[in-house]
Every structure is written in C-alpha cells, then in structure tokens.
Amino acid sequence: MNSGRASNTKMELLAPAGGVEAGLAAFQYGADAVYLGLKKFSARADADNFTLDELDALVGYAHSLSPRRRVFVTLNTLILQSELAAVAQLVGPLADLGVDAVIVQDLGVLRLMRRHFPELELHASTQLAAHDRPGVEALARMGFKRVTLARELTLDEIRDCASVPGCEVETFLHGALCYSYSGLCLLSSHEMGRSGNRGRCAYPCRDRWRAESVCDGPVTALSDQARSGFAFSMKDLALGEFVPGLREAGVACLKIEGRKKSPLYVATTVDYYRSLIDGTAQPAKRTEREADLKAVFSRPWTKLFVESNQDKDVADRDFVGHRGVRIGTVERVVKSGQVVSVRFETSRALAKHDGLQIDIPGLDRPFGFGVTDLKAVGSTRGSLEVPAGTHVDVPLPDDYPTVPEGAAIYCSSSQQVKNRFKVASPNLKAFRARLGLRLDAELSADTLSLVARVADRKAEIERRIEGPFEVAKDAAKMDGAARGAFEKLGDTRFALEQWSFKNPDTRFVPVSKLNEARRVLCEALEAEVAQRARARTDEAVANCAPGAAAPVSRDGLRWSVKVDRLKSLSEFGPEEWAAMDEVVVDISREPQDDLDRKLRKLSERSGRPIRVALPMVSRGWEAKSLESKIALLRGAGFERWEAANVSAFGRLTSGLFDLATDWSLYVTNRLAAQQVIDWGATRFCLSPEDGLDNMRPLLSEFGEHATVIAYQDTPLFVSESCPYANLKGGCPGPARCDYERMDLVSHHGGRVLAINDRCRTWVVNATPFSLAGRLDALRQAGARSLRADFVHKPYAPAEVAAIFRRLRAGEPVAGHRGNFERGLGGE
C-alpha cells in the first residue's frame, strides 16, 4: 500500500537562489520555495550566496507573501574538524531567523542540529546519495523530514521511495547533471585539489577526453572521431513531460538546479515549470516558454533514466556549454563589400544585440557572437528586429572560423526575453524574519500586567506598568487601542500572533503609556531571546571541541584487506594472514551460489573473521539479489558487516551484529564520528579524500574506531552513464558490448581508467592512491588500523599479495597521495 502523498496533493516548486535578485525572481514567477547558500559551507561556493542580513530580509519577504513562501538554507558540504565551531555559530542565527529548512550532507551537522537546534527542519541533500527505499527509511529514522533523491532514479524507484511513511521526497526537475552520483565524485578533488564535497568542483567532467585503449588493447572498437570527445559531459535534465507522473508517484517537491545561474534563468525556468505544474500551459504558450528558457541557458536536454535505466542518450559528446534555442540552419556565408555574413531563415523573431551560436565541427564549444546588424535578404537597409520566418544576413565577427553549410544556429541571448522577464525590486529593508509573539495583558486600577512569550524560543518575560488608571469612557475602544498599540512592532523582531486582553474594571490607559509598555516589553524580550540564543550556540560550540586524546598505542599497526573477488586472496600465505585483523568482502560481484560456504572457507583458511561489505550503490533491479545474499549470510551466522551508504542502515535493521562504515559515509569531524558510533558502528573508515592535518584530531580521539585507507583504486566517478557508449554515439546493448575497461586522458593530462561493471561505470585514477611512504606519519598521528583495498580492478592474486607485503613493510608502492599532504582546503 502506498502511504506517500496523494496524487492530488500540491507539489512544491523549489527554485535556486544564488543571490538576492535570483530569489526575488523565483518568487515573482511562481516558486513556492527557494534554496540558497551562505558565504561559507555551501556546495556552490562560487555562487554569489547570501549574508545573514540578506537572508533575514529574504525570509521576512517570503513569509510576508500570500500564499506564504519558504526559504531553505544549504549547509551541504563536508565539514572539517577545525570548522565545526564556525558551523555551530552559523546554525544558531539560522534558527533565530526561522528559516524553513536546512539542507545537510555532513553527518556531524546532522548531529549538531538535532541535539542543539531541534526546531530546524532537516532535509537530506542529494549529496547523501539516497538511491533506494531503504536509504530513505534510514534517513527518516535519522531525523530528516525530506530526502532529495539521487537524480539517476527511474519513476518506479521514485514511487517506491515516496511511499515511505513520514518522510517527503524531493526530485530534481531541471538543470545541470553531474556525471557521477552526487556525493560520490572525487575526480576534481584527487586530480586538482578542488573537492565537489566542499563546493569547489573544477568540473573535469566537462573536459575533452581521449581514449587510448579499450580492454587493454588498441581502440579499434572506436572510430577515429569517437576516440576523442566529452565522454563524461552530461546533457541538462528536463522532466517537463513527467510532471504528472511525478505527482502521481507522490513526490512532494520538484527542484530546479542552478544556484550559479542568472536571475533571468531562474525567472524563465520557474515560469515554464509553474505553468506545467498548474496545468495552465497551452501548447503554443508552452513552446514559447520553452524557447525562452533555452535562449537564456540550455545544453541539450535529456530525461536521464526516469523512464528506464537502459536509456543512454544522456551525454553530449561533441560540445560543452550553453547552446541556446535552435532557430535555423546555415544556408551559406555571403560577402558584401568588407562584410561577411551568415545567411539563414530564422524561426524566431531576432533583434539587434541578441546572441547567436553555431555548431562548428572541431570546436569544443559552439561559436558564439553578438548580432551587431540585421538585414533581411533582398533588403538594402538594416533592421533593429526581424520577425520569425525571415531570411536574414547577420554579420560574422572578424575572427570567425569556417562556417559549414547545414550547421545548426541557435539564439543564445534574447533582448525580447530580457524585456519580458523583468524582476521587480521590492524594498527588502522593510522586511525581516519575525518571531511570533504571544501576549497576555491584564489591566486593573493600579497596574498594567504584561506576559510576553516567544514559544518556539522558550522565552518568556513579565513586566508591570504602574498606574493609577482611570475608568474608560468606551471599553470596546480601549480594547482596540490596546491591541493596536501592541501590533505596531515594525522595528522589532516580533509579529503579534496571539493576543489576550483582560480589563474587568474597564480601565483606560493613555496611548503614550501603551507605547512605553510596548517598547519596554520588546527590549526585554529581545534581550531574553538573544541571551538564550547565545547560550544555546555556546553549548553547541563547546560540543565541537576535540575530545581527550586516547592513549598512544604501543602495538603495531593492524591491517585489513578489502576485495570484491575472492580469488584475489588466493596467493596469501601464513605471513600475510598473520598480519591481518580481518578480511572485508564486497559481496556485490560474487554470485550467491555457495557464497556462505566460500566465505567460511576463506575465514578458516585465513584464521581471520570476515566482514561482509554492502555496495556503495544498489538500485531497484539489484535489490532482490542483494537482500537474498544478506538473508543467506545473516542466516549463516556472519555478524560483521560494513555500510557504504545510508541504505545499509535500512537493510540491517534487526539483530545483533558488528557494524563498520566505509569511507563513503564521510567522517571528517568528531560529531560525524560520534554519530556513526551512536548508530552502532564499532569502527569507521576515514575518507581517502581527506588530509593528514584533519585526520590527526580524529585519530587522536577515535583511534580505536578509525581505519585509514593506505592503498586503494579510489572511485573518482560512480555513474550509470557509459563513457564508451557516449564516445561511440550509442549503446550496442549488453550482449554485443565488448567494453570492459577504457584508458582515458583529459586535455589537461589527467589519466583515468573507466571500468564497466554490469553497465555501471567506475572511474579510477590510472595510478592507485597509496600512502605506503607515510605509515610513520600515520602512526604518530594516532592511527592504529590501516586497510588495503583491491576492488574494481581485476588484480592478479600474485600482485595483490606482493603489494600487501610491500605496504606492510613500508616499502614504496607506486601511486598518488590525493589530498593527504595538501588537505581538503578551507571554505
């Protein structure tokens, strides 16, 4: 039974606000809510973002509108230990301003907010990679009211997630797509030191990549043209036609991506989808709105996998960047005197100062230029504007490339659209976030007694204004005057939401006395609210400080090994097993037949316990097989498990077992460490994205619980989009596909290996992540447990054994160190 939202429930339209004007544009053109970032700790650090004063004004403005609009704040980055106190000091004002929700990725921020600011509504960021029902169930139990689902889900998977009781789901509706599952992309971080998990992505997915080999051989399966292209550059998501289906599925909120986009983009996109959600768009008007949107910013559109996970038309191999709305095709290039023009028939009205772009083979981006002049073919005079259907000559700039006949022409900037979507500018200085004031007043012959409360701040004060007060000539008029005086709260933080006035002796208070009483009362209440806010923030900050250092262990470093192929360990001997604490086995690749017997045999041979690792991603079509394996192994008595995603907390819900978390459940601060321990984890794995300086306080305080990855082919991308199919221009189908691995080189020189795992792509660095030369530094920092991973790549058993021996001996093992020395960097 589907217990999610009813199909006729109003869906929220959520728009991006990279700055104040974009927020105003969103509300003006029909958004129900906006999401925005502050100057720090935002996953779009390069957007304008908001100061607290700007946020205060926008929240006040949004809440003053009818119907009331909502404002969500994104704190959706990983937080380093040194930043925790600053985050606590930031969350306090968010609670004080009464923002409608906070969007969170970091588990430490989750803990901070639930313990110290429980009134703030929590939304799970798509950075948490929630991709199935168990993940949503787990996040709901963790305290999230809403979960933003991974973009990759099908409509059936979305429907399943939306049926989780007590938790709303939000899906992306429109905008740019990451190649990787959000939150699981480390390419920018490891290659360039700019972490997407820290809001600093350098977008290497938009680079041109060249295939150097396929399946360790020559790239004979790819044509010369297909060997180089934008293998990871995704088209833009556009799900307009699926709005009814998303509503029927029970989706609570449809989200537009674009906090780095212009207010004009926000206005046109919101206007377009508002009409689709409301069902007010007639076909002609819908086409017009769609064209307006594309003229402002648009890559080619894709529905991604909403209909089927088999859809492969999701990437744009040939070009990157803004295209625009297609308005014609090059007929020819003409020359008149010194002026060279491109001639075409425009399907859209065109004006001077519009922008055009032309697809030119061989260029990475469409060739763009401004319309400096317009001349209808056959006319001797230029025009300021020509209507649709006109054959027109538009001058090319001096540096124009060769423009082939038949090339597509796009309008990439439109004066008409800019004029049609003006953004009003209300006086935001007149608005601020208000606290609901409940006021009880009682008047007697000698005293005006006042009790003021701000319920959601647990603040209450009492004040008495001394009389004497005469008998009123008109009691009803006195009641109205008293309420009117206390409603005049414009310069304060308060708005009167509840009023009680008792005047049994029908006494009269002069207006001057009422105004004095209001001033005294509000000043005292402001001070009380501020004091409580400071006390609460101070308590939260104190909880962020590093805990006492654990005693330094005199024992040697403990090792574990993680594999996804049991045969990888077949060359291990007594010496290797003796050095090992446990064996971690990712069960996603191994077939179920005899899996329990094979794992018991491995445990017997090694003399070490087996930890069963659940996969980082497990989609709907994989769920039955995975759950069957879990049931088999739990029934066989396997008690050690590892979670690589929040969905594991939804699958391992009962019984006694020893739980660990993998690096993809990021622990980069002490509150995140405490959170996973509170959830029952006996140990957690620190992220290979992290740096030594940030690891030190975590290892010092949590050394017994923390594991450091010393060797790994770290996944840089985890994607349902196939780079081989993207370069080839289509998917031949699994039965005819000869792609297993592909070596790729970017035009910046970055080298990666793309691995096909049952049509899911894992992209790893050409060389492994290796801390082989830094074991002493880790030991001194407090590390006690190290792990070597041999997953994704098909290692030969002898190679696994040899690498493990060198690692334990502290001998060099070729590889890179990611951010280990340089750190993740400040916000």
Side-chain angles (χ1 to χ4, degrees), residues 540-566:
V541 169
N543 197 31
C544 295
V552 176
S553 174
R554 299 186 181 277
D555 298 333
L557 292 169
R558 301 192 304 264
W559 283 89
S560 58
V561 169
K562 182 173 183 178
V563 297
D564 58 357
R565 298 167 174 87
L566 293 178

Side-chain angles (χ1 to χ4, degrees), residues 23-24 26-28 31-32 58-70 426 431:
L24 295 174
F27 290 137
Q28 180 178 335
D32 299 302
L58 190 67
V59 169
Y61 175 70
H63 290 178
S64 75
L65 296 173
S66 183
R68 187 179 188 270
R69 313 298 173 84
R70 303 209 291 166
F431 296 94

Side-chain angles (χ1 to χ4, degrees), residues 190-497:
H190 266 196
E191 290 287 312
M192 303 176 184
R194 295 183 55 180
S195 170
N197 282 315
R198 300 271 292 157
R200 298 290 183 183
C201 184
Y203 305 104
C205 55
R206 301 295 183 187
D207 281 355
R208 177 177 286 277
W209 293 80
R210 184 181 72 256
E212 291 201 332
S213 69
V214 176
C215 298
D216 303 320
V219 286
T220 53
L222 294 171
S223 66
D224 290 341
Q225 180 184 6
R227 292 177 190 180
S228 176
F230 299 98
F232 306 122
S233 185
M234 301 293 281
K235 297 179 179 180
D236 277 0
L237 183 68
L239 298 183
E241 65 184 288
F242 296 97
V243 166
L246 292 167
R247 177 185 283 115
E248 183 277 330
V251 172
C253 178
L254 298 176
K255 184 174 190 174
I256 297 167
E257 182 276 339
R259 278 191 286 142
K260 293 176 68 174
K261 301 293 200 310
S262 69
L264 181 62
Y265 173 86
V266 173
T268 54
T269 310
V270 169
D271 178 72
Y272 174 66
Y273 284 105
R274 179 81 271 160
S275 67
L276 296 184
I277 291 170
D278 293 347
T280 60
Q282 298 301 316
K285 190 66 175 176
R286 173 175 175 172
T287 300
E288 178 185 315
R289 283 182 162 122
E290 184 177 302
D292 287 347
L293 189 167
K294 289 182 175 180
V296 177
F297 185 91
S298 179
R299 300 180 182 90
W301 285 2
T302 177
K303 59 189 176 183
L304 200 58
F305 307 117
V306 70
E307 281 189 312
S308 169
N309 65 294
Q310 298 298 318
D311 287 345
K312 297 300 179 185
D313 184 23
V314 297
D316 187 5
R317 178 191 68 188
D318 298 319
F319 296 99
V320 292
H322 172 39
R323 212 68 146 270
V325 57
R326 184 164 180 169
I327 61 170
T329 301
V330 174
E331 295 180 0
R332 59 193 179 103
V333 174
V334 298
K335 186 172 183 180
S336 176
Q338 299 299 312
V339 178
V340 179
S341 301
V342 60
R343 177 172 292 175
F344 63 97
E345 181 181 358
T346 178
S347 61
R348 178 184 175 90
L350 200 61
K352 191 173 181 179
H353 304 305
D354 283 355
L356 296 181
Q357 296 203 125
I358 304 176
D359 284 347
I360 308 291
L363 297 184
D364 286 355
R365 296 176 179 272
F367 172 65
F369 57 99
V371 177
T372 57
D373 195 11
L374 279 170
K375 186 181 290 185
V377 175
S379 173
T380 59
R381 302 180 61 184
S383 303
L384 293 176
E385 185 176 357
V386 297
T390 303
H391 274 78
V392 64
D393 289 342
V394 178
L396 290 164
D398 292 340
D399 60 348
Y400 73 92
T402 299
V403 178
E405 294 181 5
I409 301 179
Y410 304 86
C411 177
S412 57
S413 177
S414 168
Q415 300 304 308
Q416 185 183 72
V417 173
K418 292 176 182 177
N419 291 329
R420 188 154 55 234
F421 289 92
K422 297 289 187 181
V423 179
S425 298
N427 179 20
L428 287 183
K429 292 181 179 179
F431 296 94
R432 64 185 307 190
R434 305 284 177 178
L435 299 175
L437 174 63
R438 300 178 182 182
L439 184 58
D440 296 326
E442 186 168 355
L443 180 58
S444 68
D446 301 315
T447 307
L448 174 60
S449 299
L450 301 164
V451 179
R453 301 177 184 85
V454 179
D456 58 358
R457 298 294 182 273
K458 298 181 180 178
E460 179 178 321
I461 61 166
E462 298 182 18
R463 288 295 182 271
R464 296 164 65 89
I465 305 298
E466 301 300 329
F469 299 110
E470 299 178 356
V471 175
K473 296 178 180 178
D474 186 336
K477 191 173 182 180
M478 182 64 241
D479 289 353
R483 182 184 182 104
F486 284 98
E487 284 179 333
K488 295 176 181 178
L489 298 167
D491 293 333
T492 74
R493 293 298 312 275
F494 308 113
L496 190 63
E497 71 175 13

